[in-house]
Amino acid sequence: MVSANLLDNLEFIFSDDRTNLESNKMPDTKTPIPVIVGISQANQDEDDFTKCREPLELMIEAVKAAAIDSEAPDTLEKLDQVCVNQGTWNYSDPARAVASAVGAYRAKSARTFWGGNFVQFALNRMALAISQGELESVAFTGAEWGRTLARMRRKGHAPALADAPGEPDSLYGKHDFIAHLLEREIGCVQPVQTYPMFENALRYARGESPDEHLVRISELWARFAQVAANNPHAAIRASPSAEAIRTPSAGNRPVSFPYLKLLNSNNNVDQAAALILCSTEFAAKLGIPEEKWVYPLAGTDANDILFMSNRLDYTASPAIRIAGGKCLELAGIDTASLDLVDLYSCFPVAVQIAAKELGLDEEQDLTVTGGLTFAGGPLNNYVMHSVARTVELLRQSPEKKALVTANGGTLGKHAFTAYSGAPPEQPFRHASMQAAVDALPKREVLEKWNGRLAVETYTVMYGADAPETGYATCLTPDGRRVWTTTREAEHLDAMLDGEFCGTEIGIRGREMVM
């Protein structure tokens, strides 16, 4: 069972235990072809939390809506499996409850674990299972209610969720810690703390000043906001300007340098989505119109070095480069042939590094939704919305090719799927690229250090009214990594005054002494 305190334990994430799974051989002509035939997305915008539906209800409605979208109401009663993407709620076997509520009485239940990569990770394995004849039809759903929870907490109201007891028939993945013991001891484990450290490292490597950099990433995010303005499912469609995104205000406070609120994922949403995936034979048998069909072409996944402390380079992601490139190769697509792209966008640095590793131009459209800030960031269920939106767009232009990426942890866990609205020339192909990533070097991290070192990267966390805590990493002359932290006002001021990367500082144990 997932802990009721899961929101307070986001240093955990989960990973695949089938790292050698591959399906690269050309199957025979009778190999089943997986296809997405039903989609749905929903926002709950009710201000009175006493009238709000809980996540289980939202998921039930989403699955029913996906069946209606497929134009085959009989789809649900014939499902082999209902899978629920893990959320912050503590239902034990929500998929079984969803299946019962929608009339999928013969369906087995399944659930993923926690992580932004798991929608795509699980979808790849569902597509693979369909292509191997192990499944014929699946409904996949997920929901979050961060907006309602925030309102409840402000009123001192404790949410009471429906009971969904039991254990799933199957699980996609397994769990791992994503934070090194040292990172946990100094308190730097949350994405809002770790991603800005990658961002500052990337800025320094690009030779930009903090001011130049903030202008560039605010312009990137403004382009995302423009996409959200044209996405009917987006949570924020006001399309703020780049200047508004980078300017502190009452509604856009500094959170963690260099990020303001509008450069963070927006978890304050009630959103649900559902996908129905089946074989083309199943779809034809139920009379689902072919204009509803969108094909997963190929999928891959791989994890970077699990702990941030051991990463070789904070400006790169070998897993994105290797697994993302392999996905396109298996699909027979190059980056120039991509018409639609959705790069996982919890923070700007995730988009920039993914674009660099995949050979995409930052100036091109890199989202179909508007990203987790503007379309909405329902924690690890965002990718279900990006897939659903991709399906919508491919139905309009079936000849187009799309790539959707997924990311869990701190740029740590990755999954990729290529899609098209046109029938593929070959059956679905899948590969795990973990062995190739695992063969790459990593850094040793030291528990303590006494002396002076140059700053590798850093961030400053803000409290309600002022800068509160600073974190920095340094590299020793022999390439080992050292962490240091401070709460001294003079140190925090120095970290925020111009470029701090490359500055030589004093360290006593783990304490910054300048």
Side-chain angles (χ1 to χ4, degrees):
M1 179 178 291
V2 178
S3 168
N5 294 320
L6 190 54
L7 273 175
D8 299 323
N9 291 280
L10 292 183
E11 70 268 27
F12 299 98
I13 202 165
F14 300 87
S15 67
D16 179 28
D17 60 347
R18 301 170 68 188
T19 54
N20 295 316
L21 180 63
E22 294 199 11
S23 178
N24 298 330
K25 296 180 180 179
M26 285 293 293
D28 62 41
T29 56
K30 295 182 180 179
T31 300
I33 304 295
V35 62
I36 297 174
V37 298
I39 56 172
S40 72
Q41 300 185 69
N43 286 324
Q44 178 170 250
D45 297 321
E46 173 61 57
D47 289 328
D48 183 352
F49 66 78
T50 65
K51 298 179 181 179
C52 289
R53 294 155 293 167
E54 65 176 277
L56 184 60
E57 295 173 293
L58 294 173
M59 288 187 277
I60 290 168
E61 292 181 13
V63 171
K64 289 179 179 178
I68 292 170
D69 173 73
S70 75
E71 298 186 15
D74 293 345
T75 300
L76 297 180
E77 66 184 52
K78 294 177 170 59
L79 290 173
D80 294 324
Q81 179 177 277
V82 173
C83 181
V84 165
N85 193 45
Q86 181 64 61
T88 55
W89 31 258
N90 61 352
Y91 308 122
S92 296
D93 189 9
R96 199 175 307 278
V98 171
S100 177
V102 303
Y105 300 115
R106 63 186 293 272
K108 299 289 187 180
S109 69
R111 196 187 71 222
T112 70
F113 284 97
W114 181 268
N117 58 308
F118 271 110
V119 167
Q120 198 106 274
F121 172 92
L123 191 149
N124 282 341
R125 278 149 181 78
M126 293 171 189
L128 185 61
I130 288 171
S131 72
Q132 295 177 342
E134 297 170 2
L135 289 173
E136 194 173 33
S137 58
V138 181
F140 191 15
T141 187
E144 287 292 350
W145 63 335
R147 185 173 183 273
T148 293
L149 281 179
R151 282 162 171 72
M152 287 183 175
R153 287 169 178 164
R154 283 198 293 269
K155 297 291 187 179
H157 185 86
L161 296 178
D163 193 21
E167 292 296 328
D169 294 310
S170 58
L171 296 168
Y172 288 98
K174 70 181 184 68
H175 73 85
D176 279 314
F177 291 101
I178 62 161
H180 192 283
L181 177 60
L182 185 75
E183 296 160 22
R184 284 181 271 157
E185 287 179 351
I186 68 171
C188 188
V189 297
Q190 303 294 343
V192 72
Q193 299 167 311
T194 55
Y195 276 90
M197 297 189 72
F198 283 73
E199 185 75 66
N200 287 324
L202 184 63
R203 179 198 72 235
Y204 186 60
R206 292 178 68 149
E208 296 175 324
S209 72
D211 289 342
E212 292 169 337
H213 167 260
L214 185 58
V215 168
R216 182 175 58 79
I217 63 172
S218 68
E219 290 174 347
L220 171 65
W221 240 227
R223 294 193 293 274
F224 274 56
Q226 290 169 4
V227 173
N230 294 309
N231 175 8
H233 313 288
I236 299 174
R237 301 183 65 189
S239 190
S241 67
E243 184 176 4
I245 290 169
R246 64 177 176 261
T247 302
S249 66
N252 191 33
R253 65 180 180 84
V255 177
S256 51
F257 183 79
Y259 293 148
L260 289 82
K261 183 178 179 181
L262 285 176
L263 292 165
N264 279 254
S265 176
N266 173 20
N267 298 335
N268 191 30
V269 292
D270 288 8
Q271 292 183 326
L275 310 170
I276 295 178
L277 184 70
C278 64
S279 67
T280 53
E281 183 178 0
F282 179 91
K285 190 187 308 179
L286 271 79
I288 299 174
E290 289 192 25
E291 57 264 29
K292 293 286 186 178
W293 300 8
V294 168
Y295 302 84
L297 303 177
T300 58
D301 40 69
N303 301 333
D304 279 307
I305 293 168
L306 194 58
F307 299 144
M308 176 180 172
S309 292
N310 300 125
R311 304 274 179 90
L312 188 66
D313 182 358
Y314 289 151
T315 72
S317 169
I320 293 178
R321 181 175 68 253
I322 294 169
K326 185 66 172 180
C327 180
L328 294 174
E329 176 191 330
L330 292 177
I333 302 171
D334 59 27
T335 53
S337 303
L338 285 170
D339 302 289
L340 303 170
V341 177
D342 196 83
L343 300 185
Y344 196 87
S345 50
C346 48
F347 298 91
V349 72
V351 171
Q352 295 164 80
I353 289 179
K356 180 183 75 167
E357 298 291 23
L358 294 169
L360 298 168
D361 189 334
E362 284 183 22
E363 297 293 325
Q364 73 183 84
D365 286 339
L366 298 175
T367 180
V368 298
T369 66
L372 281 86
T373 299
F374 305 108
L379 296 171
N380 60 317
N381 204 53
Y382 164 78
V383 174
M384 198 173 294
H385 293 264
S386 60
V387 172
R389 181 60 175 158
T390 297
V391 170
E392 280 186 334
L393 297 173
L394 288 175
R395 285 174 174 176
Q396 296 170 16
S397 303
E399 75 284 358
K400 291 185 175 181
K401 302 291 191 296
L403 176 70
V404 177
T405 78
N407 165 31
T410 301
L411 273 173
K413 303 167 74 64
H414 307 280
F416 307 84
T417 311
Y419 300 88
S420 178
E425 296 179 358
Q426 60 189 15
F428 179 78
R429 306 177 77 186
H430 177 270
S432 168
M433 304 306 295
Q434 196 59 52
V437 178
D438 287 346
L440 299 175
K442 62 182 181 179
R443 289 194 188 276
E444 180 183 351
V445 59
L446 298 177
E447 289 193 11
K448 295 181 180 180
W449 178 265
N450 293 307
R452 300 190 67 79
L453 293 172
V455 171
E456 176 192 23
T457 191
Y458 67 102
T459 190
V460 173
M461 300 299 301
Y462 287 79
D465 303 311
E468 196 169 80
T469 307
Y471 299 101
T473 61
C474 304
L475 298 178
T476 64
D478 60 0
R480 293 178 292 175
R481 183 167 280 120
V482 174
W483 279 89
T484 181
T485 184
T486 184
R487 295 176 67 89
E488 295 293 330
E490 62 179 307
H491 298 167
L492 300 177
D493 289 343
M495 297 173 83
L496 295 170
D497 182 19
E499 180 58 78
F500 197 64
C501 288
T503 301
E504 187 177 279
I505 61 171
I507 305 170
R508 184 184 300 120
R510 297 175 189 167
E511 180 184 356
M512 187 183 300
V513 294
M514 301 290 282

